[in-house]
Amino acid sequence: MTNMMSFSFSSFSCIVLSVLAFSAFSLQAEARAFFVFGDSLVDNGNNNYLITTARADSPPYGIDYPTRRATGRFSNGLNIPDIISEQLGMEPTLPYLAPQLTGDRLLVGANFASAGVGILNDTGIQFLNIIRIGKQLEYFQQYQRRVTALIGAEQTQQLVNSALVLITLGGNDFVNNYYLVPFSARSRQFSLPDYVRYLISEYRKVLQKLYDLGSRRVLVTGTGPLGCVPAELAQRSPTGVCAVELQRAAALFNPQLTQMVADLNNQLGANVFIAANTYTMNMDFVSNPQAYGFVTSKIACCGQGPFNGIGLCTPLSNLCPNRDIYAFWDAFHPSEKANRIIVRQILTGSPQYMNPMNLSTIMALDSRT
């Protein structure tokens, strides 16, 4: 019995020493709030609380989530913010509209994202009541007032300044606006190159506002390969070749976004904004799915019609038995396995993927300040 106790005590001592010796990288991560803005790629349940058709709160969504229940994430399991939190050892953020987001839970951060939104206010109007990006930023201000009441203005400013921020916008401005219907209002108003320039100029205002509200470390993702998602293959590509016009849109938008981010950093005199080349991250496994353990990057796991790309993922849809071998979960969204590949590049990717630096470098730098 005594030997057991001394063994347990020494084991405990080792554990304590291991914890104390844990890297500053992880300690910094745990102390850091995380804020998420954007669309369905990063929404973790805000739309559950809204009257909208852009929802993922019923099966089979969430089939591989730890609770095996639909949470409002447009995924079979975890989405990109969940995996970032997991990899950095942080508690996952709650949706801002969740009633549980009170008291100390506010100090973890919040997810303001809403499926269906874009850079422009007229993007996603068919989804009715969604939290447009301007409103997401208003909620961020409201959040700061709530936290100020909890810990005071100075501590709140410190929490926001040291927080990690992720923003994902742009895809819906093409698929749910410019290309939503033939001869859409925006396509009659703008040629594609002019539309992209307009989007970038409007996005710059959003990022500047984030900075004005105290954000100092912001991951800005580009669009994925829009023409390669099962929904667009089903509508535009009987042979399964990525839809040319949507690929052209992504090819115009993403380099200009990276340049705009660099210009904004130069203007601010600091690397506040980090451009994540999610186009290339996705294209790696879309163009060579077998190299990443997928059997297909064309057919969605859940859906119906050609490539399972028509309509919504519902209990009546075709459903694959093994989500890990499908790059796409539904007609638009990557599977959890694909999201993990994307986050790996966000964390450790070369400048081809993360510019001017990856998230691991950011965390290491910030742990020293």
Side-chain angles (χ1 to χ4, degrees):
M1 188 73 172
T2 310
N3 288 344
M4 250 329 253
M5 283 180 68
S6 62
F7 174 77
S8 299
F9 180 75
S10 62
S11 301
F12 176 73
S13 300
C14 289
I15 290 165
V16 169
L17 288 170
S18 300
V19 169
L20 290 174
F22 206 63
S23 69
F25 170 85
S26 292
L27 291 172
Q28 176 72 11
E30 282 179 24
R32 189 171 208 162
F34 186 26
F35 300 112
V36 181
F37 300 87
D39 58 27
S40 60
L41 290 166
V42 293
D43 180 358
N44 69 347
N46 280 309
N47 281 21
N48 294 357
Y49 303 96
L50 304 172
I51 299 167
T52 177
T53 54
R55 301 170 77 98
D57 59 346
S58 60
Y61 285 97
I63 189 169
D64 300 308
Y65 191 73
T67 60
R68 302 291 185 263
R69 299 180 67 163
T71 59
R73 291 163 172 82
F74 285 76
S75 173
N76 59 300
L78 302 183
N79 64 12
I80 288 168
D82 293 324
I83 299 164
I84 290 174
S85 293
E86 174 196 272
Q87 293 295 306
L88 297 183
M90 303 190 299
E91 202 179 314
T93 55
L94 287 171
Y96 186 66
L97 298 185
Q100 306 95 303
L101 187 64
T102 57
D104 285 353
R105 284 186 164 186
L106 285 162
L107 306 183
V108 173
N111 186 316
F112 301 90
S114 177
V117 305
I119 298 162
L120 305 182
N121 277 335
D122 56 295
T123 292
I125 51 171
Q126 70 274 28
F127 299 126
L128 305 175
N129 186 19
I130 51 180
I131 313 168
R132 305 193 188 286
I133 191 57
K135 187 67 177 176
Q136 291 183 32
L137 295 173
E138 281 178 38
Y139 279 150
F140 189 33
Q141 290 176 281
Q142 184 186 83
Y143 164 90
Q144 292 187 38
R145 290 193 294 272
R146 291 173 66 189
V147 174
T148 298
L150 202 65
I151 60 172
E154 192 178 330
Q155 292 285 334
T156 299
Q157 186 180 353
Q158 194 178 332
L159 180 143
V160 171
N161 288 165
S162 65
L164 181 66
V165 178
L166 171 68
I167 184 166
T168 295
L169 288 172
N172 284 324
D173 294 288
F174 296 104
V175 298
N176 281 309
N177 191 332
Y178 195 85
Y179 292 109
L180 180 62
V181 291
F183 310 108
S184 67
R186 288 296 192 186
S187 68
R188 282 181 279 117
Q189 181 185 6
F190 291 109
S191 68
L192 180 61
D194 288 342
Y195 183 63
V196 168
R197 279 190 286 273
Y198 176 57
L199 286 179
I200 296 293
S201 68
E202 291 301 300
Y203 204 174
R204 185 177 180 130
K205 295 173 191 173
V206 170
L207 296 183
Q208 181 66 53
K209 181 71 172 171
L210 265 179
Y211 179 84
D212 294 344
L213 292 174
S215 301
R216 294 295 179 268
R217 284 296 194 199
V218 185
L219 303 174
V220 184
T221 70
T223 72
L226 300 172
C228 304
V229 300
E232 299 304 332
L233 298 182
Q235 289 179 53
R236 302 169 191 272
S237 178
T239 61
V241 175
C242 297
V244 172
E245 191 64 10
L246 278 148
Q247 286 297 87
R248 180 173 165 242
L252 284 170
F253 178 83
N254 289 308
Q256 289 184 48
L257 177 63
T258 302
Q259 186 59 53
M260 180 266 279
V261 162
D263 293 345
L264 200 47
N265 284 339
N266 286 337
Q267 178 194 310
L268 297 170
N271 289 323
V272 173
F273 298 99
I274 313 297
N277 184 353
T278 38
Y279 179 89
T280 303
M281 293 176 195
N282 278 270
M283 212 56 209
D284 285 348
F285 59 76
V286 164
S287 59
N288 189 5
Q290 283 73 26
Y292 293 85
F294 298 120
V295 294
T296 179
S297 60
K298 298 183 189 302
I299 302 166
C301 168
C302 182
Q304 46 280 312
F307 307 103
N308 279 343
I310 302 294
L312 302 171
C313 170
T314 73
L316 300 177
S317 298
N318 301 320
L319 179 65
C320 68
N322 181 0
R323 275 68 64 184
D324 283 349
I325 57 175
Y326 283 73
F328 285 95
W329 156 245
D330 66 9
F332 285 104
H333 304 98
S335 63
E336 178 182 322
K337 168 87 175 286
N339 283 333
R340 287 188 176 279
I341 294 166
I342 292 164
V343 172
R344 193 185 315 141
Q345 293 290 16
I346 289 173
L347 277 165
T348 62
S350 68
Q352 177 193 2
Y353 297 96
M354 297 295 294
N355 196 283
M357 66 188 105
N358 62 38
L359 182 51
S360 295
T361 305
I362 291 168
M363 300 303 287
L365 280 173
D366 292 352
S367 71
R368 298 186 199 129
T369 58

